[in-house]
Amino acid sequence: MSRPRGRPAGAQGLSRDAILSAALDLLGEDGASLGMRSLAARMGVTPMSLYRHVGDHASLLQALSERVYGEVLEEVDDGADAPARVRALLTRYHDAVGRHPQLTLAIFAEPAALAGTAQRITERLTGLLAAITPEYLLWRDILVDHAHGSGLALCAARGDGAQLDTMRAQYQRALDCMLERLTGLAAGGPG
Amino acid sequence: MSRPRGRPAGAQGLSRDAILSAALDLLGEDGASLGMRSLAARMGVTPMSLYRHVGDHASLLQALSERVYGEVLEEVDDGADAPARVRALLTRYHDAVGRHPQLTLAIFAEPAALAGTAQRITERLTGLLAAITPEYLLWRDILVDHAHGSGLALCAARGDGAQLDTMRAQYQRALDCMLERLTGLAAGGPG
DNA sequence: ACCTGAACACCGTTCAAGT
DNA sequence: ACCTGAACACCGTTCAAGT
């Protein structure tokens, strides 16, 4: 029973990329937490096979977070004005949380995993806000913290697709409300 | 070696209250996560002794969150106006996160643990905001999400006392800024 | 009623094979 | 270079004693 020891004969082997993709798939399923053993089982492989490709569990988490949150920075809409770009950047960030709530929760528990990417996102946001208001540091903190908190609510509602759409719309409303106050436009009235 | 089986002769036994207090102490220490085994070890007792008093790990978490976050509602300053009471309530909530970041992170991963208490806090906040603005639901979401996100940053900076004070002050500034926009007072200028 | 050890089904990770 | 099983030090939890 079970496979013989040593490298399998005809197998084409694992790849770091395939492991990361499988890990995101696994995290997307209901109630599945990202374990080295469950990830290995899903790939039909021994837990230890993973270590050569993705390092230990913390490294795996870091690689996943860079892949997911690195995409947030890929947006380019340099033509738009600063408030619109702030809006787009935060929406992308918030969406990334909604797409991978379990990963985000794991990162929150081990904040070093996101350090580099998070800093780059924050820097871009800071630059955009500086063009809008002299109180850009205060508003950067407000917008980032609010995005995190709203993302946390997304995490708590993991799995429920319909509710997720509602919450995404609520985030848009809240974000618009704050951007209006921030830019001083103070649009129309309530309702 | 080790103790004999059965109930120890002279021991006065465990109490639910003592266990919960010890659990909060344990969570307050650096890098200590709340395990049944580590908690039992700290109390000089077998892991299984705890189950009779606090139930399983999820129940323990829930009991702790009710103890910590229940205090948030104990505030009474009925004389103050609604914005001041909103400010006090959110500040207490935020402080509770800062005092128990590890517990809060554990709750975030298992949101059912806080369900009851969180709802009561949200209800009181909603009532207060309804007296201030017709857009009270929008602002309730904004303020709650922002408090959570800022609390999350507190969790990430766990342990560092000086930084904690700075972050608490930053939260006050952000909260004041939003309450000004919310009440329409629009105080002075930047700086 | 209350606490115990042994046991079960899990973890992440090290290490020494094996091909 | 790459994958393997066995082993180690952990988990939470069940169960059947023991007092």
Side-chain angles (χ1 to χ4, degrees):
Chain A
M1 52 216 298
S2 78
R3 292 198 234 159
R5 271 203 173 189
R7 181 192 213 165
Q12 58 167 329
L14 295 167
S15 79
R16 179 183 170 85
D17 221 66
I19 295 176
L20 295 181
S21 297
L24 285 181
D25 286 350
L26 182 60
L27 274 171
E29 290 165 16
D30 287 358
S33 69
L34 184 64
M36 301 300 276
R37 291 180 118 108
S38 51
L39 179 55
R42 153 177 288 251
M43 308 202 72
V45 128
T46 279
M48 282 317 300
S49 316
L50 307 175
Y51 282 73
R52 182 168 304 270
H53 299 276
V54 296
D56 63 9
H57 191 249
S59 304
L60 170 62
L61 230 53
Q62 183 168 354
L64 289 174
S65 71
E66 276 166 11
R67 171 183 277 216
V68 166
Y69 287 100
E71 290 179 8
V72 173
L73 285 166
E74 284 172 12
E75 141 265 17
V76 269
D77 201 6
D78 303 50
D81 62 346
R85 292 184 66 191
V86 167
R87 192 181 191 282
L89 183 65
L90 285 171
T91 298
R92 286 177 70 94
Y93 186 59
H94 190 257
D95 281 351
V97 175
R99 250 179 281 120
H100 305 283
Q102 297 275 22
L103 171 65
T104 305
L105 271 178
I107 292 170
F108 282 155
E110 205 158 352
L114 189 55
T117 308
Q119 191 170 355
R120 276 154 57 211
I121 295 177
T122 303
E123 279 168 5
R124 178 169 311 176
L125 181 64
T126 307
L128 291 171
L129 288 171
I132 304 179
T133 170
E135 292 195 288
Y136 60 96
L137 288 179
L138 175 62
W139 281 100
R140 182 251 276 153
D141 288 347
I142 289 178
L143 291 175
V144 166
D145 285 341
H146 175 257
H148 282 149
S150 178
L152 212 56
L154 248 41
C155 294
R158 55 183 176 251
D160 192 333
Q163 195 180 350
L164 218 93
D165 283 344
T166 304
M167 297 177 81
R168 266 198 261 258
Q170 282 179 340
Y171 178 72
Q172 294 300 328
R173 278 198 67 203
L175 181 54
D176 285 340
C177 174
M178 301 178 84
L179 286 175
E180 282 169 14
R181 300 304 183 286
L182 168 54
T183 54
L185 291 182
Chain B
M1 50 215 295
S2 79
R3 291 198 237 159
R5 272 199 171 190
R7 181 191 214 168
Q12 58 167 333
L14 295 168
S15 79
R16 179 182 169 87
D17 221 66
I19 295 176
L20 294 181
S21 297
L24 285 180
D25 286 352
L26 181 60
L27 274 172
E29 290 166 15
D30 287 357
S33 69
L34 184 65
M36 301 300 276
R37 290 180 119 105
S38 51
L39 178 55
R42 154 177 288 250
M43 307 203 73
V45 126
T46 278
M48 282 317 299
S49 318
L50 307 176
Y51 281 73
R52 182 167 304 270
H53 299 276
V54 296
D56 63 10
H57 191 249
S59 304
L60 170 63
L61 229 54
Q62 182 169 356
L64 288 174
S65 71
E66 276 166 12
R67 171 182 279 213
V68 166
Y69 288 98
E71 289 179 8
V72 173
L73 286 166
E74 285 172 11
E75 141 267 16
V76 268
D77 201 5
D78 304 48
D81 61 347
R85 291 183 66 191
V86 167
R87 192 181 192 281
L89 183 64
L90 285 171
T91 298
R92 285 177 70 94
Y93 186 59
H94 191 257
D95 281 351
V97 175
R99 251 179 280 119
H100 304 283
Q102 297 275 23
L103 172 64
T104 304
L105 270 178
I107 292 170
F108 282 154
E110 206 158 354
L114 188 54
T117 308
Q119 191 171 355
R120 277 153 59 211
I121 295 176
T122 304
E123 279 168 7
R124 180 172 306 179
L125 181 64
T126 307
L128 291 171
L129 287 172
I132 303 178
T133 171
E135 292 195 289
Y136 60 96
L137 287 179
L138 176 62
W139 280 101
R140 183 250 278 153
D141 288 347
I142 291 178
L143 291 174
V144 166
D145 286 342
H146 176 256
H148 281 149
S150 178
L152 211 57
L154 248 42
C155 294
R158 56 181 175 252
D160 192 333
Q163 196 181 348
L164 219 91
D165 283 345
T166 303
M167 298 177 80
R168 267 198 261 258
Q170 282 179 340
Y171 177 72
Q172 294 300 328
R173 280 198 66 206
L175 182 54
D176 285 340
C177 174
M178 302 179 83
L179 286 174
E180 283 169 14
R181 301 303 185 284
L182 168 56
T183 55
L185 291 181

